[in-house]
């Protein structure tokens, strides 16, 4: 099929819904609870186990997860938090929801991740207490070295929220040679995940927070449901009946329904399978693009990479994007740097502030990578890209 159009359009990512997933959702519709039934807790437990954390809190989406984390860490107006410019805006927005100020450190162009040397320089250029937190992102599925982030954070009195939306099942290797799974809570206070359909695990919409901190865990449970508690141990007044509950602080309705958790739980059972297929496809892309003039692969061959995205860089990115579209291949750009968004420019950030992120953005393209992409479809994508690069080259 090398150059004829594929049987279906090929997006950069898509969900994989199996018959078992459908059956799990249908069964949940027949169960007693549509919203807060037993599947929520089961999904939380299984997910915590999957990433190696003590606690997990299911929430309505990844953005809500970030918002609750910022609230639980008590982000206040004027507090300054550092994140990467190459991420989805939500990583930064959670700080703004609480009135905090977002700052950025430029990326390491080899990995696309926040450059920890730049974070350190930024921290050292200001008095202690100037910044309050760090939000590193496991961009594309490549884990940030959180052991090193923790050292920086401890030296400057900062908390860490790991945005692990791209990296369930990913890991980095620590200084002892141990694999440290994304979201395992060993180094960051909190980690967050998204179950949007393009991510590894689909819930429709959905998100998860993981932590090893029992106090934060209990606080997140309360914030997730309006700031309300029924737990006798937490009540500040004497109950006057069986209905009694207290709204103790301003919370939200960020719950994830049973229905979505049933899908998530069923998907989670196949997470390792999907991850293995993502890694296999990435390896095949790496081999196909090795030594191809005019094209660079972002961070090939890294252990622990969870491959939410497979990113290539070319001189004429718009040309490649448009060309692939004519071939029914719908590549995508991840990301327009957050500081270049009109909203963040309105807060004072400018073009030229983070030149490596901007240079990366000018050339990056995420090409199709998802578990149901067949070898034939992948060969077609490779052939089309080679055709473009050889003409441009
Ligand atoms: C998807 C994503 C989010 C937001 O998750 P939603 O579930 O879409 O709200 C946050 N950060 C990153 C890095 C993401 O990729």
């Amino acid at each position: 099929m090398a150059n004829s159009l594929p049987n279906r359009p090929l997006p950069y990512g898509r969900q994989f819904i199996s018959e078992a997933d459908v059956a799990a959702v249908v069964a949940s519709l027949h169960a007693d609870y549509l919203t807060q039934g037993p599947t929520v807790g089961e999904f939380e437990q299984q997910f915590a186990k999957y990433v190696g954390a003590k606690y997990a809190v299911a929430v309505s989406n990844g953005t809500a997860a970030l918002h609750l984390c910022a609230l639980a860490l008590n982000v206040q107006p004027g507090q300054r938090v550092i994140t990467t410019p190459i991420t989805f805006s939500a990583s930064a927005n959670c700080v703004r929801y609480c009135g905090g100020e977002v700052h950025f450190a430029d990326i390491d162009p080899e990995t696309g991740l926040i450059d920890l040397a730049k974070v350190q320089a930024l921290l050292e250029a200001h008095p202690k207490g100037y910044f309050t937190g760090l939000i590193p992102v496991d961009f594309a599925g490549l884990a940030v070295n959180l052991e090193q982030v923790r050292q920086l954070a401890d030296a400057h009195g900062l908390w860490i929220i790991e945005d692990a939306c791209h990296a369930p099942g990913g890991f980095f290797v620590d200084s002892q040679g141990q694999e440290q799974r994304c979201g395992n809570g060993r180094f960051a206070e909190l980690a967050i995940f998204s179950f949007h359909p393009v991510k590894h695990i689909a819930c429709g919409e959905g998100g998860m927070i993981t932590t090893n901190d029992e106090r934060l865990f209990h606080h997140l449970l309360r914030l997730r449901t309006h700031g309300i508690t029924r737990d006798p141990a937490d009540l500040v007044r004497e109950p006057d009946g069986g209905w009694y509950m207290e709204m103790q602080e301003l919370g939200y309705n960020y719950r994830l329904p049973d229905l979505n958790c049933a899908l998530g739980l069923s998907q989670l059972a196949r997470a390792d399978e999907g991850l293995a297929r993502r890694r296999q496809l990435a390896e095949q892309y790496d081999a196909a693009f090795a030594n191809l003039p005019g094209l660079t692969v972002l961070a090939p061959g890294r252990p622990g990479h969870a491959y939410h995205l497979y990113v290539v860089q070319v001189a004429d990115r718009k040309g490649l994007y448009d060309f692939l579209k004519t071939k029914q291949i719908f590549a995508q750009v991840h990301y327009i740097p957050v500081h270049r968004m009109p909203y963040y420019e309105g807060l004072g950030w400018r073009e030229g502030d983070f030149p490596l992120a901007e240079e990366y953005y000018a050339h990056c393209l995420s090409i199709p990578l998802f578990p149901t992409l067949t070898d034939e479809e992948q060969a077609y994508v490779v052939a089309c890209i080679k055709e473009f690069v050889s003409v441009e080259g």
Side-chain angles (χ1 to χ4, degrees):
M1 68 176 274
N3 275 318
S4 59
L5 288 178
N7 295 330
R8 55 175 183 168
L10 300 175
Y12 81 91
R14 63 166 296 145
Q15 73 275 21
F16 168 30
I17 303 294
S18 70
E19 286 310 312
D21 293 341
V22 173
V25 171
V26 170
S28 88
L29 283 168
H30 291 300
D32 290 339
Y33 304 92
L34 285 187
T35 56
Q36 296 300 289
T39 317
V40 181
E42 208 176 318
F43 185 36
E44 289 171 335
Q45 270 185 16
Q46 292 297 322
F47 192 83
K49 200 167 135 203
Y50 182 67
V51 302
K54 279 192 185 156
Y55 309 106
V57 178
V59 293
S60 36
N61 54 64
T63 305
L66 284 160
H67 187 193
L68 289 190
C69 288
L71 288 166
L73 293 166
N74 199 25
V75 174
Q76 295 294 308
Q79 285 189 345
R80 300 177 190 87
V81 175
I82 301 168
T83 190
T84 170
I86 297 298
T87 185
F88 185 55
S89 307
S91 311
N93 294 349
C94 64
V95 176
R96 299 294 305 141
Y97 297 154
C98 299
E101 269 181 33
V102 180
H103 290 249
F104 303 94
D106 211 344
I107 61 164
D108 173 351
E110 289 293 312
T111 60
L113 302 179
I114 196 169
D115 183 341
L116 297 184
K118 295 219 168 62
V119 175
Q120 182 169 6
L122 184 60
L123 291 171
E124 286 173 357
H126 295 88
K128 209 169 161 182
Y130 189 84
F131 295 103
T132 52
L134 299 173
I135 307 180
V137 178
D138 301 316
F139 175 68
L142 183 61
V144 171
N145 186 321
L146 282 185
E147 186 183 30
Q148 291 170 8
V149 179
R150 186 75 259 167
Q151 283 165 5
L152 278 178
D154 286 347
H156 296 269
L158 310 175
W159 48 252
I160 303 167
I161 301 171
E162 176 188 12
D163 183 337
C165 284
H166 296 185
F171 64 83
F172 72 93
V173 178
D174 72 10
S175 58
Q176 311 297 310
Q178 299 291 313
E179 292 179 5
Q180 298 288 348
R181 275 213 165 194
C182 296
N184 73 2
R186 289 280 303 280
F187 303 99
E189 277 79 355
L190 297 161
I192 70 106
F193 295 86
S194 164
F195 306 128
H196 181 281
V198 297
K199 311 285 164 78
H200 288 56
I201 294 165
C203 282
E205 297 272 359
M208 194 74 83
I209 306 167
T210 59
T211 184
N212 288 348
D213 184 318
E214 192 183 358
R215 191 187 53 84
L216 285 173
F217 170 62
H218 283 294
H219 194 185
L220 289 166
L221 291 179
R222 196 169 65 200
L223 286 169
R224 172 178 72 177
T225 184
H226 310 282
I228 287 174
T229 183
R230 290 187 162 79
D231 187 341
D234 294 335
L235 299 178
V236 299
R237 291 195 205 137
E238 203 52 41
D240 58 353
W243 59 84
Y244 188 77
M245 51 83 167
E246 288 173 358
M247 186 197 135
Q248 296 183 329
E249 66 181 322
L250 190 62
Y252 296 81
N253 178 353
Y254 280 166
R255 295 184 300 257
L256 185 63
D258 238 46
L259 194 58
N260 302 67
C261 290
L263 179 55
L265 195 56
S266 180
Q267 291 250 310
L268 182 58
R270 292 202 317 281
D272 281 333
E273 203 179 300
L275 183 58
R277 178 60 181 160
R278 286 173 181 276
R279 286 175 171 155
Q280 181 184 42
L281 288 164
E283 221 169 89
Q284 290 171 181
Y285 272 140
D286 286 353
F289 295 141
N291 310 313
L292 180 64
L295 180 142
T296 313
V297 171
L298 182 70
R302 303 267 175 159
H305 201 310
Y307 284 108
H308 165 54
L309 303 173
Y310 191 90
V311 180
V312 299
Q313 293 163 287
V314 292
D316 181 10
R317 189 269 312 281
K318 183 177 185 302
L320 179 57
Y321 173 90
D322 290 341
F323 176 76
L324 291 179
K325 217 165 163 176
T326 68
K327 301 285 188 180
Q328 289 282 80
I329 299 168
F330 298 92
Q332 190 49 277
V333 170
H334 299 94
Y335 291 96
I336 300 168
V338 180
H339 72 283
R340 297 296 330 276
M341 289 293 175
Y343 172 77
Y344 282 96
E345 289 199 351
L347 295 170
W349 300 102
R350 289 289 172 267
E351 184 169 9
D353 282 345
F354 304 100
L356 297 174
E358 292 166 26
E359 175 67 13
Y360 164 82
Y361 163 63
H363 301 291
C364 68
L365 197 63
S366 306
I367 63 173
L369 181 69
F370 48 90
T372 59
L373 185 71
T374 66
D375 286 349
E376 291 71 28
E377 287 168 336
Q378 183 182 36
Y380 169 76
V381 173
V382 168
C384 291
I385 290 174
K386 284 188 169 169
E387 182 185 339
F388 178 82
V389 175
S390 68
V391 171
E392 285 301 297

